[in-house]
Amino acid sequence: MQVNENFEPVIVAFCCNWCSYAGADLSGTNRLNYPTNVKIIRVPCSCRVNPMFILRAFQKGADGVIICGCHPGDCHYTSGNYFTRRRITLLYSMLDFLGIERNRTRLEWVSAAEGAKFAATMEQFTADVKALGPNRRLEDLRCRKQ
Amino acid sequence: MQEAMIKRAKELLADGSVDRVIGWKRGEFAYDITPAVFTSAEELEHDFVFDDFTAANVSKYLVKETAKEGKILAFLKPCDTYSFNQLIKEHRIDREKVYVVGIPGGPKLDIEKIKAKGITGVLSVKNEDYTLKIETLYGEETMPFSEAVLDKCASCKSKKHVAYDELIGEDGDVLESNRFDMVEKLENMTAQERFDFWRGQLSKCIRCNACRNVCPACTCENCVFDNPKSGIDNKAAADSFEENMFHIIRAFHVAGRCTDCGECSRVCPQHIPLHLLNRKFIKDINELYGEYQAGADTTSRAPLTDYTKDDCEPSVVHERGVE
Amino acid sequence: MQRIGVFVCHCGTNIAATVDVKAVAEALGHEPGVVISQDYQYMCSESGQELVKSAIREQKLTGVVICSCSPRMHENTFRKAAASAGLNPYLVEIANIREQCSWIHKDIATATDKAIILGKAAVAKVHLNTPLSSMESPVVKRALVIGGGIAGIQTALDIAEAGFDVDIVEKQPTIGGKMAQIDKTFPTLDCAACILTPKMVEASQNEHITIHSFSEVADVKGFVGNFTVKIKKKARYVDETKCTGCGLCTEKCPMKKVPNEFNMGLDNRSAVYIPFAQAVPKVATIDPNYCMMLRSGKCGVCSKVCSAGAIDYKQQDTFIEQKYGAIVVATGFNPINLDKYDEFAYNQCPDVVTSLELERLMNAAGPNGGTLLRPSDKSHPHTIVFVQCVGSRCDDEKGKPYCSKICCMYTAKHAMLIREKYPDTEVYVFYIDVRTPGKNFDEFYRRAVEQYNVHYIKGMVGKVTPKSDGKIDVQASDLLANEQLHIDADMVVLAAAIEPDKTARPLATMLTTQMDTNDFFTEAHPKLRPVESATAGIFLSGACQGPKDIPETVAQGSAAAAKAIGLLCKNSITCNPCVAHSDELMCNGCSSCEKVCPYGAITYIDKEFRMPDRTTKVRRVASVNPAVCQGCGACTVACPSGAMDLSGFSNSQIMAEVDAICK
Amino acid sequence: MLKISKSRLGELFDAVAAKQTLYIPTDREPGAAEYKKYESGMELTKELNTVRSAKDFFFPQTENLADFRIDGKNIEVRDIREECGDFVVFGVRACDARSFTILDKVFLCEPVDSFYKNRRDHGTVVTMACSRPAETCFCQTFGIDPTSPEGDAACFDDGESIFFKANTEKGQAFIDSIASLLEEGDTAKLDEVNAKTKEIMAKLPLAKLSTGNFGGDKLNEYFNSDKWAELSEACLGCGTCTFVCPTCQCYDIRDFNTGHGIKRFRCWDSCMYSDFTKMAHGNPRLTQLERFRQRFMHKLVYFPANNNGEFGCVGCGRCLAKCPISMNIVKVMKALEEK
């Protein structure tokens, strides 16, 4: 595959307030670098992430979407991430079924203590999306940057 | 069968057990049958029809009908009873206001399949020992019954009535169906092939909403696609993205609730195999979270409002099939 | 029309060094609705807040965006500032341009671009923010302390002192915890029992304290101010209310070969037992694994000798349910299991013991009545080797990455006590580092070295091999002398790492609190909120939060109590207004939301609606109890019609953020 | 009449497509034809008609009306109108050809819809006479002769050749542009075909359907008819009938936020939809009955009232074939007529 070196993907990361957002903060506190491509949206729980937010991101120009939540069993709200896991598994499977590249979407469990994991995950995800190139299969042409 | 149904409907109307009857009404041609509510013996005798073309699932109408006064008799085919149960489960139908008479299911015929054979000007269709004798403006034609069967009937999942107050005819069994074959075939394609397949299909969509409006799982008071406050409302697919968006979200919203009645594909004027999206979810749910048939009962927890602590991770998507 | 103010913080150089804050302020000033956009050295400072407040007043702002550190840090600061200037606090949004931008990026141009985008997302969101007002929720004036060690006891006593009822749930038959097993305490060398047992008695006698010993927390529901906890009282086959603790049953019990866990299995107890003389409650417990009556129905001696008639072989586990306003976790620690440390021959040689076992061996109430004897042959040991950091500061899977903190000090204590009592005994301590921060700690350690001539050797023990003559070969390296040593020891004492109690993990799940990767509870803020968990109303006391010595544990126990008291003092608390709400007009009443709500906050009501055709229709619709809802948002996705939405994180707000980031 | 042998139709299409864009109805799948931009080798469908009507060429399902470029607080309006290229739509049936007359009445009256007019001006409609009407056809109800279709130019198929006839100047220009491929031919066989078609027409199940009881003066008679309740009972409120209809011309105008601006676009709307003509105060037609009634009253009463008796239906039969519950204008007309 041809990789455009200059391609800077837009990556939206939905992070739950209690674990992953804190994990992202921790990677900041520890000065652990990850690409600027990643922009975080804070949600109370990963289970707040509606599939339509994910599609919306792709529509408006995102090249990759990652959802981060507390590890299963550690949800601040007890069960939120278990629902997330089912919903997102099925959604990602559906996107795959429609021929959307698998590496454009990810779900990762990052605890408040895992600043290093957060940074490493974002590094890897950005690299994966970069390798895929711009999102063409699930984009809205009207939103493409001129 | 039709006679037995009319007879029973008349009895139940006459003894006051029910006030109305929902069934099917004959049309102008052999095949253009409309779901209808009957209130008198005369109407039943004159218009009631039950034949090879009465495929429409009338369960969804019961949402509207049971909100009215009085009790209604509903003739439900096996597949319709699943939709019925699912609606009961979601508190959309008042069970007390329905008298369900289970009737035999299909296979039902698809007029479009007959026309696709180049048989046009259809005036009547007769099933003679599984050969269709079709009288047309241009002479008589024949074709095998099996080739004109509706797709949804060709992959029938069950001949069993999961809800009824009485049955006319014998009850059947849940069937071993081949309904996931096409899903599997698609799964085994490359991502590019799948993408091309679906782009080809979904680009035909004219957003007429027939799939949504016929769907017994789509009974929202106000659909997100009609609701400007939802942020995703749209009336037409102005971009291929919106074609995808509508069908993904719709399939997702009915995931775990879809009984696989197949009405979406039956009514699609563009012949988009929309049921494959729903079946993909059903297949995934069965494989990942255990066999689940929406509408099989009225009490079990739907897979998407349930979980186990050791559910698989979404990375399972990466580990299956080809990319 | 919105009038939004943007305030970009330099955070000294924390932000300003990598993000061009002026450019951020300038760019965001051009966003629709933004009427003022400023930057300032320290937005969180008094003068920074004043800047925001005066802008709210003078510019009549309808929304505020602060580009600064994480909202987890100062969201509340700025919300309060806004409120004091007359703006609803929920019209404030934070763009996190420090932790999630300036601190992780190096290139000024790209970091500035990102900060602008994060700012735009916050502006886009604040456009859709609505004023929210908080509900009040009553506080149940009762606290629960989980764990009856010194941490839990201290917390309970302090809460009770303030006049609130408090329950202690302790899984062992007695409170006291690890401290009850310790002989002497450092650095004062006073007797642990002498200072602990009065506190245990005090706890048992305090009218505000109820002790549920031999009990466990089975289920926790609810939220801050209003928890409902199910406590499982395990069957002890003795009626607590009748037992006088006379101990006759334990003497007469014919089954005497039960390993005594209080003495770390170094001696035996009877099947019916009281863990130790000063146990609280001083009530016997029958061990069903050993009691012949319970196992085979043949015996019944204890029942016969009990004049109080307290023995009840038919006793079952019982559950009690109680409401609490606050919960303090004080589940403590345990030494790690040393099964994987074959190099130290712990499982092979009885004379290789852990430090806690040594405590019992030296304790007057211990297996040898306080005389230090080798477990193997009850002989007096002449050479004792202490091995430090067994499983602590470990890189591999076997051990723990952290320092267990207390081992250096208790080893110095042990060494000193042995040298004091048995001057003919040589004591060697192998250490990586000696860590003695703490009041009088280093002086204490130096006394051990200088006054008591304990041989401290920097180096790790490589192998411990029991020899046929009963001696133990300790092979070690002296890193300072750079030589290999072999010591013929009589006893080896391992300073095993400590780890959180195993019950902590399932408890954390029930309490919906976070743990770190080592299963220590995570505090709400490592520096500023060390005794609170991130879950409101749950406080942390003692070693469950991290390794601690006794004075620290007591201090934290009291601190947790103070926090709990602060909560219990209130008649009601302000609820988080960012909760779910259902649009009745769109709700189908399908019950999907109810099924995913972890709090049972959603109920259904039949409501009459006026229909478009001017008729009325009764429909079943969801109704959210805002005092019970905690705002996770699970229901919003389960709802197919989009009737359910979440205040503060509404669909439209999140999508506005998505749009702003993606454009 | 000028004609071309059917075997040389490809040559003709190639010649047309070389000069301007050509659309022809072609098979998408068995039993379903659609208009596609002609590419060499593409074959004309044998289906009677396309699933979607030919109105898409002049009134597409979605089209941009204006762009607004937004940069911070600055909004710049961009006129995105541009002259469209010349194109030919080949193979339009008589019913669809008549639909353009109806659409013209809506879009070309003042104020003229410049987007529509632009495409009408640049488009040449080449029709094709029918020879195998279907049971759902009822164009003759509206005075349409499928053997002599309107359009700029009309084509006739006698089985071997295609004959050409110009109806307008544009049509004549089209025929002139392909004149080198055409030859004079004898229409005897064609007359025979047409006669046979007319025989079939008379035998169609809906041949007797008449508009006699409908028209602009029937408002009071039908508006409050109690038939509407029964007729609309099963209506799903979907837009299938509307979207396959060649004469339905309602649209909605919406704004789409692209992230860097707004695209103002219009898209087909359906009076069957619950949010059709929804205004600040709500929806003027509150129930499906009223929405259902609107569609048929519009075609059978309101439209003729405002357009000199012309009905808003051309009898193409698409709604008969495609309605998910098989409710349609024919059933409505018959029910209303029953007294």
Side-chain angles (χ1 to χ4, degrees), chain C residues 223-255:
Chain C
F223 51 94
V224 54
N226 198 0
F227 295 103
T228 305
V229 180
K230 202 185 210 179
I231 297 165
K232 175 179 165 184
K233 289 183 82 83
K234 295 181 279 187
R236 70 200 307 166
Y237 306 102
V238 173
D239 186 337
E240 267 180 77
T241 58
K242 290 183 185 160
C243 176
T244 60
C246 69
L248 196 58
C249 55
T250 66
E251 282 169 34
K252 301 291 180 196
C253 175
M255 182 61 207

Short mmCIF file of all heavy atoms in Angstrom, two decimals, chain C residues 223-255:
data_model
loop_
_atom_site.label_atom_id
_atom_site.label_comp_id
_atom_site.label_asym_id
_atom_site.label_seq_id
_atom_site.Cartn_x
_atom_site.Cartn_y
_atom_site.Cartn_z
N PHE C 223 -25.58 5.63 46.26
CA PHE C 223 -24.63 6.67 45.88
C PHE C 223 -24.35 7.50 47.12
O PHE C 223 -24.94 7.28 48.18
CB PHE C 223 -25.22 7.53 44.76
CG PHE C 223 -26.60 8.02 45.07
CD1 PHE C 223 -26.80 9.27 45.64
CD2 PHE C 223 -27.70 7.22 44.83
CE1 PHE C 223 -28.06 9.70 45.96
CE2 PHE C 223 -28.98 7.66 45.15
CZ PHE C 223 -29.16 8.90 45.72
N VAL C 224 -23.46 8.46 46.96
CA VAL C 224 -23.02 9.27 48.10
C VAL C 224 -24.22 9.77 48.92
O VAL C 224 -25.19 10.25 48.38
CB VAL C 224 -22.13 10.44 47.62
CG1 VAL C 224 -22.82 11.29 46.57
CG2 VAL C 224 -21.70 11.32 48.78
N GLY C 225 -24.11 9.61 50.23
CA GLY C 225 -25.18 10.06 51.12
C GLY C 225 -26.27 9.03 51.30
O GLY C 225 -27.07 9.13 52.22
N ASN C 226 -26.30 8.06 50.41
CA ASN C 226 -27.44 7.14 50.43
C ASN C 226 -27.06 5.77 49.87
O ASN C 226 -27.63 5.30 48.91
CB ASN C 226 -28.58 7.76 49.62
CG ASN C 226 -29.91 7.12 49.94
OD1 ASN C 226 -29.99 6.21 50.76
ND2 ASN C 226 -30.96 7.58 49.29
N PHE C 227 -26.09 5.14 50.50
CA PHE C 227 -25.70 3.79 50.08
C PHE C 227 -26.57 2.78 50.81
O PHE C 227 -26.92 2.97 51.97
CB PHE C 227 -24.25 3.50 50.44
CG PHE C 227 -23.24 4.35 49.72
CD1 PHE C 227 -22.62 5.42 50.35
CD2 PHE C 227 -22.91 4.08 48.39
CE1 PHE C 227 -21.67 6.20 49.69
CE2 PHE C 227 -21.98 4.86 47.73
CZ PHE C 227 -21.36 5.92 48.37
N THR C 228 -26.90 1.72 50.12
CA THR C 228 -27.55 0.59 50.78
C THR C 228 -26.59 -0.59 50.68
O THR C 228 -26.21 -0.99 49.58
CB THR C 228 -28.88 0.25 50.10
OG1 THR C 228 -29.67 1.44 50.08
CG2 THR C 228 -29.61 -0.84 50.85
N VAL C 229 -26.19 -1.08 51.83
CA VAL C 229 -25.18 -2.14 51.85
C VAL C 229 -25.77 -3.39 52.46
O VAL C 229 -26.45 -3.35 53.49
CB VAL C 229 -23.94 -1.68 52.66
CG1 VAL C 229 -22.88 -2.79 52.67
CG2 VAL C 229 -23.37 -0.40 52.06
N LYS C 230 -25.48 -4.48 51.78
CA LYS C 230 -25.91 -5.78 52.29
C LYS C 230 -24.68 -6.40 52.96
O LYS C 230 -23.63 -6.53 52.33
CB LYS C 230 -26.38 -6.63 51.12
CG LYS C 230 -27.30 -7.76 51.48
CD LYS C 230 -27.54 -8.55 50.23
CE LYS C 230 -28.88 -9.20 50.18
NZ LYS C 230 -29.01 -9.93 48.92
N ILE C 231 -24.82 -6.75 54.21
CA ILE C 231 -23.70 -7.32 54.94
C ILE C 231 -24.00 -8.78 55.24
O ILE C 231 -25.07 -9.13 55.74
CB ILE C 231 -23.45 -6.55 56.25
CG1 ILE C 231 -23.07 -5.10 55.93
CG2 ILE C 231 -22.35 -7.22 57.08
CD1 ILE C 231 -23.16 -4.17 57.11
N LYS C 232 -23.04 -9.62 54.90
CA LYS C 232 -23.22 -11.04 55.16
C LYS C 232 -22.54 -11.37 56.49
O LYS C 232 -21.33 -11.21 56.63
CB LYS C 232 -22.57 -11.83 54.03
CG LYS C 232 -22.56 -13.33 54.23
CD LYS C 232 -21.92 -13.98 53.01
CE LYS C 232 -21.54 -15.41 53.27
NZ LYS C 232 -20.84 -15.96 52.10
N LYS C 233 -23.35 -11.79 57.45
CA LYS C 233 -22.78 -12.25 58.71
C LYS C 233 -22.61 -13.76 58.60
O LYS C 233 -23.58 -14.50 58.56
CB LYS C 233 -23.71 -11.88 59.88
CG LYS C 233 -23.72 -10.39 60.18
CD LYS C 233 -24.59 -10.07 61.39
CE LYS C 233 -23.88 -10.30 62.70
NZ LYS C 233 -23.01 -9.19 63.13
N LYS C 234 -21.34 -14.15 58.52
CA LYS C 234 -21.07 -15.57 58.32
C LYS C 234 -21.43 -16.34 59.59
O LYS C 234 -21.26 -15.84 60.71
CB LYS C 234 -19.59 -15.78 58.00
CG LYS C 234 -19.20 -15.15 56.66
CD LYS C 234 -17.73 -15.37 56.34
CE LYS C 234 -16.85 -14.36 57.10
NZ LYS C 234 -15.44 -14.44 56.69
N ALA C 235 -21.90 -17.54 59.37
CA ALA C 235 -22.29 -18.37 60.53
C ALA C 235 -21.05 -18.69 61.35
O ALA C 235 -20.08 -19.23 60.81
CB ALA C 235 -22.95 -19.64 60.03
N ARG C 236 -21.04 -18.33 62.65
CA ARG C 236 -19.89 -18.71 63.49
C ARG C 236 -20.32 -19.82 64.46
O ARG C 236 -19.53 -20.26 65.27
CB ARG C 236 -19.30 -17.50 64.20
CG ARG C 236 -20.16 -16.88 65.28
CD ARG C 236 -19.78 -15.46 65.62
NE ARG C 236 -18.36 -15.30 65.93
CZ ARG C 236 -17.75 -14.10 65.99
NH1 ARG C 236 -18.43 -12.99 65.73
NH2 ARG C 236 -16.48 -14.02 66.28
N TYR C 237 -21.57 -20.24 64.35
CA TYR C 237 -22.14 -21.35 65.14
C TYR C 237 -22.11 -21.05 66.63
O TYR C 237 -22.20 -21.95 67.46
CB TYR C 237 -21.43 -22.68 64.81
CG TYR C 237 -21.45 -22.94 63.33
CD1 TYR C 237 -20.33 -22.70 62.55
CD2 TYR C 237 -22.62 -23.35 62.70
CE1 TYR C 237 -20.36 -22.87 61.18
CE2 TYR C 237 -22.67 -23.53 61.33
CZ TYR C 237 -21.52 -23.28 60.58
OH TYR C 237 -21.57 -23.45 59.22
N VAL C 238 -21.95 -19.77 66.95
CA VAL C 238 -21.99 -19.34 68.34
C VAL C 238 -22.86 -18.09 68.37
O VAL C 238 -22.68 -17.21 67.54
CB VAL C 238 -20.57 -19.00 68.86
CG1 VAL C 238 -20.65 -18.39 70.26
CG2 VAL C 238 -19.68 -20.23 68.86
N ASP C 239 -23.80 -18.09 69.29
CA ASP C 239 -24.66 -16.92 69.40
C ASP C 239 -23.89 -15.81 70.10
O ASP C 239 -23.57 -15.89 71.29
CB ASP C 239 -25.92 -17.30 70.20
CG ASP C 239 -26.91 -16.14 70.21
OD1 ASP C 239 -26.48 -14.99 70.02
OD2 ASP C 239 -28.12 -16.41 70.40
N GLU C 240 -23.56 -14.80 69.32
CA GLU C 240 -22.73 -13.70 69.81
C GLU C 240 -23.31 -13.03 71.05
O GLU C 240 -22.59 -12.58 71.93
CB GLU C 240 -22.63 -12.63 68.73
CG GLU C 240 -21.45 -12.74 67.81
CD GLU C 240 -21.45 -11.63 66.79
OE1 GLU C 240 -21.09 -10.51 67.15
OE2 GLU C 240 -21.82 -11.91 65.62
N THR C 241 -24.64 -13.00 71.06
CA THR C 241 -25.28 -12.27 72.15
C THR C 241 -25.22 -13.06 73.46
O THR C 241 -25.34 -12.51 74.53
CB THR C 241 -26.75 -11.96 71.82
OG1 THR C 241 -27.42 -13.20 71.56
CG2 THR C 241 -26.85 -11.08 70.59
N LYS C 242 -25.04 -14.37 73.33
CA LYS C 242 -25.02 -15.19 74.54
C LYS C 242 -23.61 -15.49 75.02
O LYS C 242 -23.36 -15.63 76.22
CB LYS C 242 -25.76 -16.50 74.28
CG LYS C 242 -27.27 -16.34 74.12
CD LYS C 242 -27.93 -17.69 73.95
CE LYS C 242 -29.43 -17.53 73.65
NZ LYS C 242 -29.95 -18.75 73.03
N CYS C 243 -22.67 -15.63 74.08
CA CYS C 243 -21.32 -16.04 74.43
C CYS C 243 -20.68 -15.01 75.36
O CYS C 243 -20.71 -13.81 75.10
CB CYS C 243 -20.47 -16.21 73.18
SG CYS C 243 -18.75 -16.62 73.50
N THR C 244 -20.09 -15.50 76.45
CA THR C 244 -19.46 -14.59 77.41
C THR C 244 -17.96 -14.53 77.18
O THR C 244 -17.25 -13.78 77.85
CB THR C 244 -19.72 -15.06 78.85
OG1 THR C 244 -19.16 -16.39 78.98
CG2 THR C 244 -21.20 -15.10 79.15
N GLY C 245 -17.46 -15.38 76.30
CA GLY C 245 -16.02 -15.39 76.02
C GLY C 245 -15.23 -16.04 77.13
O GLY C 245 -14.04 -15.79 77.30
N CYS C 246 -15.88 -16.94 77.87
CA CYS C 246 -15.18 -17.56 79.01
C CYS C 246 -14.06 -18.48 78.55
O CYS C 246 -13.09 -18.70 79.26
CB CYS C 246 -16.17 -18.33 79.89
SG CYS C 246 -16.84 -19.81 79.08
N GLY C 247 -14.21 -19.04 77.35
CA GLY C 247 -13.14 -19.84 76.78
C GLY C 247 -13.18 -21.30 77.17
O GLY C 247 -12.34 -22.08 76.76
N LEU C 248 -14.18 -21.69 77.96
CA LEU C 248 -14.25 -23.09 78.39
C LEU C 248 -14.35 -24.04 77.20
O LEU C 248 -13.73 -25.09 77.16
CB LEU C 248 -15.47 -23.25 79.31
CG LEU C 248 -15.50 -24.53 80.16
CD1 LEU C 248 -14.24 -24.61 81.04
CD2 LEU C 248 -16.76 -24.57 81.02
N CYS C 249 -15.16 -23.64 76.23
CA CYS C 249 -15.34 -24.49 75.05
C CYS C 249 -14.01 -24.74 74.35
O CYS C 249 -13.73 -25.83 73.88
CB CYS C 249 -16.37 -23.87 74.09
SG CYS C 249 -15.97 -22.18 73.60
N THR C 250 -13.19 -23.68 74.27
CA THR C 250 -11.93 -23.84 73.54
C THR C 250 -11.00 -24.79 74.30
O THR C 250 -10.22 -25.51 73.69
CB THR C 250 -11.24 -22.48 73.33
OG1 THR C 250 -10.84 -21.97 74.60
CG2 THR C 250 -12.15 -21.48 72.64
N GLU C 251 -11.13 -24.78 75.61
CA GLU C 251 -10.29 -25.71 76.38
C GLU C 251 -10.77 -27.15 76.22
O GLU C 251 -9.99 -28.08 76.09
CB GLU C 251 -10.37 -25.37 77.88
CG GLU C 251 -9.51 -24.18 78.27
CD GLU C 251 -9.85 -23.73 79.70
OE1 GLU C 251 -10.18 -24.61 80.53
OE2 GLU C 251 -9.80 -22.50 79.95
N LYS C 252 -12.08 -27.32 76.21
CA LYS C 252 -12.63 -28.67 76.20
C LYS C 252 -12.71 -29.28 74.80
O LYS C 252 -12.88 -30.48 74.66
CB LYS C 252 -14.04 -28.68 76.83
CG LYS C 252 -14.09 -28.19 78.25
CD LYS C 252 -13.41 -29.16 79.19
CE LYS C 252 -13.47 -28.65 80.63
NZ LYS C 252 -12.52 -29.33 81.52
N CYS C 253 -12.66 -28.46 73.80
CA CYS C 253 -12.80 -28.96 72.43
C CYS C 253 -11.76 -30.04 72.18
O CYS C 253 -10.57 -29.82 72.35
CB CYS C 253 -12.61 -27.82 71.44
SG CYS C 253 -12.63 -28.38 69.72
N PRO C 254 -12.21 -31.23 71.77
CA PRO C 254 -11.24 -32.31 71.56
C PRO C 254 -10.40 -32.13 70.29
O PRO C 254 -9.36 -32.76 70.15
CB PRO C 254 -12.13 -33.55 71.46
CG PRO C 254 -13.45 -33.03 71.01
CD PRO C 254 -13.59 -31.63 71.52
N MET C 255 -10.84 -31.28 69.40
CA MET C 255 -10.12 -31.12 68.12
C MET C 255 -9.11 -29.98 68.31
O MET C 255 -9.46 -28.80 68.22
CB MET C 255 -11.13 -30.79 67.01
CG MET C 255 -10.50 -30.64 65.65
SD MET C 255 -9.70 -32.15 65.16
CE MET C 255 -8.46 -31.51 64.08
#
